[in-house]
Amino acid sequence: TQVMAAIVRKKMKIVDLIIAILIVANIAIGFTANNYFTGMNFKCLDNKNETQLSSFFTDEKIINSIFYDCSNNCYRKSFTNTSEIDVKKGNEMPSTYPYYGMSCNSQCKFAEITKNEYTSDDTVTALRWINVVIIIFIVLLLVYKYGLEVVVLKTFNCACDEDSIFTTGLWKYLLLEMIVLGIFSPPGVDKLITGKMLNGTFTYSVDSLIMLIYLLKLYYFLRVYWNFSLWTSEEVLQIGIKNKLNIGSSFILKAQFKYSPYIFMFVALVLSIGLFGFLLRIFEYGYAADEGFVYVGKAIQNPNFKDYSDTFWVIIITMMTIGYGDIYPSTHFGRVVVFFAALVGMILTSLLIVSMSNFVTFLPEEKKAHNVIKK
């Protein structure tokens, strides 16, 4: 019975590992699609003395198809309902690309095409469909895994031969995991949520808010760690039983820190910076102050959080309790993120101090030898 149960549990661990790999792919693809969806900005630079502008577009649909003559007429147009700018004679944007605007200064040295709305293109749609396929595989693997759980219950006579996922009550946990791990951004969803906050205007895409819920899927990696960790093996569990100790999360966390403190803190630091940096960019990227600003729903509003390097920098100096003030959050949500980042930073700093203190503390033998050497 124990051998059969061990074989089934081994299969369950392999299934958990495959699901975790699919979750990583799911989050990575969703992250790429979101970044491409919200952060794409098109620019076109003048060829100095030439009248035709060079095209440096990332959207293949408009490469080599839009050219402007800035030698005689500098013109600009905004394709939004809230701001309409007069257009002088000259070539206008094609009607097939209603979400792009063009501006040119009086000297015609620079022209810029800016994406004025959150709009998904073929690349974003394709990435979202890939995520749909990944979600289907994850759900199928979850059903298979819970089927194996029923087999384990039957092996230990905790369930009858006629029992299934529904009769054992496991369907509730299966449904909950299917809901959490099945979250995805549907293709074609380009909705926006706008409003006022702290003397400014925020614009959040539904796609970005769904990416926040994606983070709930990270719980599955704790399960994978539990399956493959040294501190959760059958031998360790038996030792815990003999010593009347419950091998739980608290013991595992302390044991892992004692075993490799610097690796533990490094992994925790990297994960914290990545997680808080991602959250901060989503909340701050779509914010713009009201002063001197006319809202037109632009994709890029807060230049301080345009690049992820800026958000990671803010999180790093917050966790280290430095706070230079060169870049800071301007929304309520962003302030909450840096608040928790500061708490995590203080905890990691305290752990580092404890670890360094233990490192420089002599063992009894070392202390005795040290005293003899000094004499």
Side-chain angles (χ1 to χ4, degrees):
T1 300
Q2 291 180 351
V3 172
M4 183 176 178
I7 294 174
V8 176
R9 285 194 177 119
K10 186 176 181 181
K11 290 182 180 179
M12 292 174 62
K13 290 181 180 180
I14 295 175
V15 172
D16 279 337
L17 183 60
I18 296 174
I19 291 177
I21 294 174
L22 291 176
I23 291 174
V24 171
N26 176 233
I27 294 176
I29 292 174
F31 172 82
T32 303
N34 175 265
N35 193 41
Y36 194 84
F37 175 62
T38 59
M40 190 165 47
N41 198 33
F42 305 115
K43 291 186 178 181
C44 182
L45 302 178
D46 186 13
N47 278 342
K48 295 182 179 179
N49 297 326
E50 298 181 12
T51 58
Q52 189 182 64
L53 295 178
S54 301
S55 297
F56 294 97
F57 302 113
T58 55
D59 190 344
E60 295 179 356
K61 291 182 179 180
I62 56 177
I63 290 180
N64 299 325
S65 63
I66 303 177
F67 299 99
Y68 301 94
D69 184 359
C70 285
S71 59
N72 299 317
N73 297 304
C74 290
Y75 57 91
R76 55 184 176 175
K77 181 165 178 70
S78 172
F79 293 89
T80 63
N81 296 327
T82 58
S83 177
E84 197 72 25
I85 303 175
D86 294 334
V87 180
K88 297 182 179 180
K89 291 183 178 181
N91 298 324
E92 296 185 12
M93 294 291 293
S95 59
T96 54
Y97 305 108
Y99 296 105
Y100 302 96
M102 185 272 179
S103 63
C104 183
N105 62 17
S106 58
Q107 290 76 29
C108 299
K109 295 294 184 182
F110 175 79
E112 182 179 14
I113 298 174
T114 305
K115 184 178 178 183
N116 285 339
E117 295 288 348
Y118 290 110
T119 54
S120 58
D121 55 11
D122 292 341
T123 302
V124 175
T125 302
L127 290 173
R128 290 179 179 176
W129 276 116
I130 293 174
N131 259 346
V132 172
V133 175
I134 292 176
I135 292 298
I136 293 174
F137 278 107
I138 290 177
V139 171
L140 293 177
L141 287 172
L142 280 175
V143 175
Y144 176 67
K145 177 197 164 186
Y146 275 86
L148 293 176
E149 185 70 32
V150 175
V151 174
V152 173
L153 293 177
K154 292 179 180 179
T155 303
F156 288 101
N157 296 324
C158 296
C160 302
D161 293 337
E162 296 80 13
D163 281 333
S164 63
I165 296 176
F166 295 98
T167 57
T168 56
L170 292 176
W171 68 270
K172 299 177 183 178
Y173 304 101
L174 173 61
L175 180 61
L176 180 61
E177 288 204 278
M178 288 173 62
I179 292 174
V180 175
L181 299 182
I183 297 170
F184 68 95
S185 183
V189 174
D190 296 352
K191 300 297 182 181
L192 297 177
I193 298 177
T194 62
K196 294 289 186 179
M197 184 187 302
L198 293 174
N199 299 320
T201 303
F202 66 86
T203 305
Y204 298 142
S205 67
V206 173
D207 181 81
S208 296
L209 300 181
I210 293 176
M211 281 301 301
L212 294 179
I213 308 177
Y214 264 52
L215 301 178
L216 295 177
K217 302 181 182 184
L218 297 177
Y219 84 91
Y220 213 86
F221 294 97
L222 297 177
R223 178 173 298 170
V224 174
Y225 175 79
W226 182 274
N227 290 337
F228 295 95
S229 173
L230 167 68
W231 310 104
T232 57
S233 62
E234 290 294 334
E235 294 82 359
V236 173
L237 295 178
Q238 291 299 323
I239 293 174
I241 293 175
K242 291 180 180 179
N243 292 275
K244 299 180 181 180
L245 173 66
N246 181 24
I247 306 296
S249 302
S250 175
F251 173 81
I252 295 172
L253 191 65
K254 289 186 286 188
Q256 187 64 53
F257 176 75
K258 291 284 187 179
Y259 184 72
S260 51
Y262 300 109
I263 296 178
F264 178 90
M265 287 185 291
F266 176 77
V267 173
L269 181 64
V270 171
L271 292 177
S272 300
I273 293 174
L275 177 62
F276 289 126
F278 174 75
L279 293 173
L280 186 62
R281 184 176 183 272
I282 285 183
F283 291 133
E284 295 295 323
Y285 188 61
Y287 176 84
D290 287 335
E291 184 179 357
F293 176 79
V294 178
Y295 174 67
V296 293
K298 289 186 177 181
I300 297 178
Q301 297 179 10
N302 193 338
N304 289 332
F305 293 92
K306 178 181 178 181
D307 299 321
Y308 274 96
S309 58
D310 294 330
T311 59
F312 294 153
W313 169 248
V314 174
I315 295 301
I316 290 173
I317 62 177
T318 300
M319 295 181 69
M320 297 180 67
T321 66
I322 298 175
Y324 289 114
D326 51 346
I327 306 175
Y328 53 87
S330 302
T331 65
H332 292 305
F333 302 119
R335 292 176 177 180
V336 171
V337 170
V338 297
F339 168 74
F340 283 104
L343 290 181
V344 173
M346 287 189 292
I347 294 173
L348 292 178
T349 302
S350 301
L351 291 177
L352 178 61
I353 294 173
V354 171
S355 179
M356 293 299 296
S357 177
N358 293 334
F359 177 75
V360 299
T361 300
F362 280 137
L363 297 173
E365 298 82 3
E366 293 174 330
K367 185 176 181 180
K368 184 182 297 183
H370 180 256
N371 292 333
V372 172
I373 292 172
K374 283 199 306 180
K375 291 180 181 179

